[in-house]
Amino acid sequence: MATEGTPGTASIDLSSGTGRLVVAGDWTLPYYASLHAHMRICCNQVSDHTAVDFTGLGALDTAGASLLADLLGPARVARLAASTGLAAERAALLQTVGSALAAYCKPARPRRSKGLEDFLARIGAGVESFGKQTLLLLGFVGIVFEALGRNFWRPKHWRVTSLVSHVEQTGLNALPIVALLSFMVGAVVAFLGATVLADFGATIYTVDLVGYAFLREFGVILTAILLAGRTASAFTAQIGSMKAREEIDAIRTLGLDPVELLVLPRVLALLVSLPLLTFIAMMAGVVGGAVVCYATLGITPTMFINLFHEDIHVRQFLVGIAKAPFFAFLIAVIGCMEGFKVAGSAQSVGEHTTSAVVQSIFVVILFDAIAALFYTGMGW
């Protein structure tokens, strides 16, 4: 038996012919560096069939046991500990360390980033996410239509008070910002049009430019984008906060339908508000253009109105206003849907509020582009 305080060693005894690993001395943490050097010398000469002699083993701790497990293999160390006649405490330590290392799975090395592969993977993930989001939106639209059809013939289920309240919030309270923004954009469009058309001696057509721009596109698109940022986010935050506080679950517990109670009044309110705000935005934009025409081109209000009446047909107004109900429905549905998707934390409310604004603006612009192609194809 090795004396106390003897540094541990590991050597190969070739006298038996087949080779024998002799483990001696103290295999403890203070001798870790020297033991590791012995391991490097012996590791190439040790195989699964090499006999092991533990008779000279002195003190042993977990550091030494882990080195023996690295040298012989965790599974073999656990088997040898039970069959070589070691003291009970050392056999138990070797078995514990060997079993633990045998069951341990080394973490996989992080995959090295590959630029093109990662780029294509992100594109695929984005397309998949877009597809799932589209299916969710279509499903929620179906739920809203089902609730609307179910309650259309039941006046007792109409939430008139809630509807009027949401019309005030989404329409009346948004009126100043919509009118002011449309007026300023109309002034900018008229100023730029007058500047460009002056090179061709056609400044009189600035009236037509303002009329076509706001009646067909700018009036409805500016209003829809403003409400997508203002109203869709509000709908998501309101419903999401209720979801986080488990009020939605309480509504279901009372036997009420959250879609009927929370979604329908908001959707119908926006269907009323957005067309009205669109009309006001059109008028404000035209007035802004008329002010610039009078200030820079000398076109009086009477002349502006006469030119507007002669060149701009009512069809241009109908083409623009017809898009407002579709925009209103999509904005309201997306805002409410994102509110129901809130997971229950303040962070989730913020994330889905941002998502509602982004999705609403994207859908509005996409639908407007599709409508423009359709109108062009129809000759409108």
Side-chain angles (χ1 to χ4, degrees):
M1 178 71 67
T3 59
E4 186 177 359
T6 303
T9 60
S11 59
I12 299 296
D13 182 8
L14 299 176
S15 60
S16 61
T18 58
R20 181 167 58 102
L21 176 65
V22 179
V23 178
D26 294 344
W27 284 64
T28 55
L29 184 60
Y31 307 117
Y32 188 87
S34 62
L35 290 170
H36 202 272
H38 283 286
M39 277 183 55
R40 286 200 302 270
I41 296 173
C42 297
C43 64
N44 294 328
Q45 305 176 51
V46 175
S47 67
D48 293 340
H49 305 290
T50 303
V52 182
D53 182 5
F54 282 127
T55 56
L57 180 62
L60 180 69
D61 61 9
T62 53
S66 64
L67 287 174
L68 287 172
D70 289 340
L71 179 61
L72 301 173
R76 191 180 182 200
V77 161
R79 292 196 306 270
L80 289 173
S83 62
T84 53
L86 285 173
E89 65 276 7
R90 294 175 187 171
L93 179 59
L94 280 175
Q95 284 182 331
T96 302
V97 172
S99 300
L101 291 177
Y104 173 70
C105 295
K106 292 185 178 180
R109 292 183 179 181
R111 187 176 61 87
R112 300 179 69 178
S113 176
K114 297 180 181 179
L116 180 60
E117 183 179 340
D118 290 346
F119 176 70
L120 294 176
R122 289 192 177 189
I123 292 177
V127 172
E128 182 182 10
S129 176
F130 178 78
K132 291 180 179 179
Q133 188 65 28
T134 303
L135 290 177
L136 284 174
L137 178 59
L138 292 176
F140 195 78
V141 167
I143 293 174
V144 173
F145 275 127
E146 187 270 337
L148 187 62
R150 187 178 65 247
N151 293 282
F152 185 79
W153 305 106
R154 297 191 293 178
K156 291 183 179 180
H157 290 255
W158 295 355
R159 310 285 174 176
V160 179
T161 303
S162 178
L163 173 63
V164 173
S165 175
H166 287 300
V167 168
E168 179 185 5
Q169 294 174 15
T170 61
L172 187 61
N173 293 344
L175 178 60
I177 184 64
V178 170
L180 178 60
L181 181 64
S182 299
F183 178 87
M184 292 189 294
V185 173
V188 171
V189 170
F191 181 77
L192 292 177
T195 302
V196 174
L197 293 173
D199 297 336
F200 305 95
T203 53
I204 196 67
Y205 291 108
T206 303
V207 177
D208 295 355
L209 174 64
V210 172
Y212 276 98
F214 269 87
L215 293 186
R216 289 183 68 98
E217 291 293 338
F218 283 174
V220 64
I221 198 75
L222 286 175
T223 305
I225 290 176
L226 276 174
L227 291 189
R230 184 181 183 276
T231 305
S233 59
F235 288 174
T236 302
Q238 292 165 3
I239 297 177
S241 298
M242 296 178 68
K243 181 78 178 296
R245 294 195 297 263
E246 299 182 354
E247 295 179 26
I248 304 294
D249 296 332
I251 290 173
R252 291 193 176 99
T253 303
L254 293 173
L256 300 174
D257 184 4
V259 176
E260 175 187 332
L261 193 66
L262 302 175
V263 178
L264 289 186
R266 288 172 167 83
V267 172
L268 295 175
L270 207 57
L271 284 171
V272 173
S273 300
L274 200 145
L276 295 177
L277 289 175
T278 297
F279 175 77
I280 293 171
M282 291 175 177
M283 296 302 102
V286 171
V287 170
V291 170
V292 170
C293 288
Y294 178 73
T296 61
L297 303 178
I299 299 177
T300 63
T302 302
M303 185 184 303
F304 185 94
I305 293 173
N306 289 334
L307 291 171
F308 194 90
H309 177 70
E310 292 176 2
D311 298 340
I312 308 298
H313 302 288
V314 69
R315 182 180 63 193
Q316 310 304 328
F317 168 75
L318 296 177
V319 163
I321 203 70
K323 294 184 284 188
F326 295 96
F327 289 166
F329 182 80
L330 291 172
I331 291 169
V333 166
I334 290 173
C336 295
M337 180 187 71
E338 289 297 317
F340 280 103
K341 288 166 63 178
V342 169
S345 64
Q347 180 180 356
S348 180
V349 173
E351 291 174 351
H352 286 287
T353 299
T354 303
S355 177
V357 174
V358 173
Q359 289 184 53
S360 299
I361 294 176
F362 173 78
V363 169
V364 164
I365 296 175
L366 177 63
F367 185 85
D368 185 70
I370 295 173
L373 293 175
F374 174 75
Y375 289 151
T376 302
M378 295 298 293
W380 296 347

